[in-house]
Amino acid sequence: MPFIPLKPIPMKERVSMMFVSYGRIDVKDGAFVVVDDVNGERMHIPVGSVACIMLEPGTRVSHAAVKLAAVTGTLLIWVGEAGVRLYASGQPGGARSDKLLYQANLALDPDLRLKVVRKMFELRFGEPAPERRSVDQLRGIEGARVRKTYQMMAKQYGVPWQGRRYDPKEWDKSDVANQCLSAATACLYGVTEAAVLAAGYAPAVGFVHSGKPLSFVYDIADLFKFDTVVPAAFRIAATRPATPDRAVRVACRDIFRQTKLLRRIIPAIEDVLAAGGTEPPPPPEDSQPPAIPEPKSMADSGHRS
C-alpha cells in the first residue's frame, strides 16, 4: 500500500500531561509503552496525543522512545519526586528561528519589553498597569498582590498559611499547603512549557522573569495560575490528603480539560507579544512542524534515501 503521511495532533487537542515513574519506557511494535520489569506488565501511552510526559525518578527511557516522542511533538520532562524539580526537557519540534528572533527582539529592547510586561499585568489582574512604572516596579507590585492573594485563598479554604516556603530538596518538610502548591505549579509549568516550545518560542527568554531556564514559561503560566491550579491546591490542602501530590495531579488534569487550557495558552502568548507593537516576521517557506515517521526506505542500510 502507498505510504500515507500522518499529521501531528494540534497542541490544543491533546491531553495535557501524564506522569510516569518506576518503569522502563520503550517502543514495542511501533507503540510507546511503559514496561514494568518486575511484573512484566506493559502499559501503552498514546504519545502523539499527549502534550507532555513528566518522568519521575526511577524511570528509564530508550533511545527509540525519545525519538518517537520527538517526531510526534510530545515534550519529555525529567522531574524530581512529585514534580517539584525540573532537571531537563526535550524539544518537541516545530521551533523556528523566526519566532525566536521575534521574541528576543522584544526582550532586548527596554521599551518593547515594558509594553509586553504591561500587557501581562493587564491580563493577569484585569486592569491596566500603573503608568510610569518600570519593569522592576511592576514586578514588585505583582509580588505584593500575589502574596495577598495567597493569604486570601488560604483564609477562604481554612488552611493555615505562613507564606510560600518550600525546599525542593526537602519535599517532606514543607507543610501540606506548600506541597500542594508545588505539585500544582509543577503541572502547570510542564503544560505551559510544552505549549511554548510547540509555538516555536524559547522558554528561557522571559520578560517579567529573567535569568532562569524557564523564565518565559513562568511569565505565561502566571497568567493562568490563580484561575486554575492555585485554588485547587488550597482546596485539596484543606482536606489534608495522605498523598497531596497525587490528589493535586488528578485535580490539575481535570481542570486543564475543563478549562481547555491548551487551547488558551498559545493565543495568550501571541497576544502578549503583539503588545510590543512590532510585526512578527513571516514564517520561512521551508519551516518544519513536528515530524512524523517517514516511509520505510527501500535502500540498504548504507544508502541515503
Side-chain angles (χ1 to χ4, degrees):
M1 294 181 61
F3 175 75
I4 302 176
L6 302 175
K7 294 183 179 180
I9 298 175
M11 182 63 61
K12 64 182 181 180
E13 297 179 5
R14 297 190 181 203
V15 176
S16 56
M17 63 182 180
M18 293 187 68
F19 279 82
V20 177
S21 61
Y22 297 104
R24 175 169 53 87
I25 299 179
D26 207 340
V27 176
K28 299 291 184 182
D29 301 324
F32 197 92
V33 298
V34 181
V35 180
D36 185 337
D37 290 332
V38 176
N39 301 316
E41 297 178 354
R42 181 187 303 181
M43 180 182 71
H44 288 259
I45 295 179
V47 63
S49 61
V50 181
C52 63
I53 299 176
M54 298 192 182
L55 309 175
E56 291 188 289
T59 305
R60 293 179 293 162
V61 189
S62 71
H63 181 280
V66 173
K67 177 184 176 182
L68 181 58
V71 300
T72 56
T74 296
L75 180 66
L76 296 181
I77 304 178
W78 284 260
V79 298
E81 184 179 0
V84 296
R85 300 189 71 183
L86 187 148
Y87 297 108
S89 62
Q91 166 59 271
R96 305 193 310 252
S97 61
D98 59 319
K99 295 289 189 72
L100 298 177
L101 293 172
Y102 171 54
Q103 179 186 9
N105 179 58
L106 293 171
L108 290 172
D109 187 301
D111 293 333
L112 299 182
R113 181 189 178 194
L114 180 57
K115 291 180 179 179
V116 173
V117 171
R118 290 181 60 83
K119 183 64 175 180
M120 290 180 174
F121 188 100
E122 180 181 346
L123 290 176
R124 186 169 187 183
F125 298 111
E127 62 183 64
E131 297 292 340
R132 297 186 294 277
R133 298 292 194 278
S134 67
V135 172
D136 288 339
Q137 289 172 325
L138 291 177
R139 187 186 295 119
I141 295 172
E142 176 189 18
R145 290 195 179 191
V146 166
R147 289 190 291 272
K148 185 66 175 178
T149 303
Y150 278 138
Q151 294 173 0
M152 293 173 58
M153 287 194 173
K155 183 177 180 180
Q156 176 183 350
Y157 289 97
V159 176
W161 182 249
Q162 301 297 325
R164 188 75 174 100
R165 301 171 184 173
Y166 68 99
D167 184 352
K169 298 180 180 179
E170 301 289 344
W171 162 256
D172 293 330
K173 291 186 178 180
S174 301
D175 57 36
V176 175
N178 275 287
Q179 287 183 6
C180 290
L181 283 169
S182 295
T185 52
C187 294
L188 180 60
Y189 293 155
V191 173
T192 305
E193 184 183 7
V196 167
L197 289 170
Y201 296 104
V205 182
F207 295 84
V208 177
H209 298 84
S210 60
K212 295 184 178 181
L214 297 180
S215 293
F216 192 50
V217 173
Y218 301 150
D219 285 352
I220 300 302
D222 282 351
L223 303 179
F224 304 97
K225 181 184 296 183
F226 287 96
D227 295 330
T228 56
V229 300
V230 171
F234 278 109
R235 174 172 52 80
I236 293 170
T239 66
R240 302 192 66 82
T243 54
D245 55 317
R246 174 172 173 75
V248 168
R249 289 177 190 174
V250 173
C252 288
R253 178 199 64 193
D254 294 340
I255 290 171
F256 295 161
R257 182 184 297 117
Q258 293 165 4
T259 62
K260 297 180 172 58
L261 183 64
L262 283 171
R263 292 178 179 266
R264 300 161 56 198
I265 293 179
I266 293 179
I269 294 173
E270 304 293 353
D271 192 17
V272 298
L273 295 183
T278 63
E279 289 293 328
E285 294 182 359
D286 58 349
S287 60
Q288 297 294 319
I292 289 293
E294 300 176 353
K296 185 177 181 180
S297 172
M298 297 299 293
D300 59 63
S301 59
H303 216 277
R304 288 191 178 185
S305 57

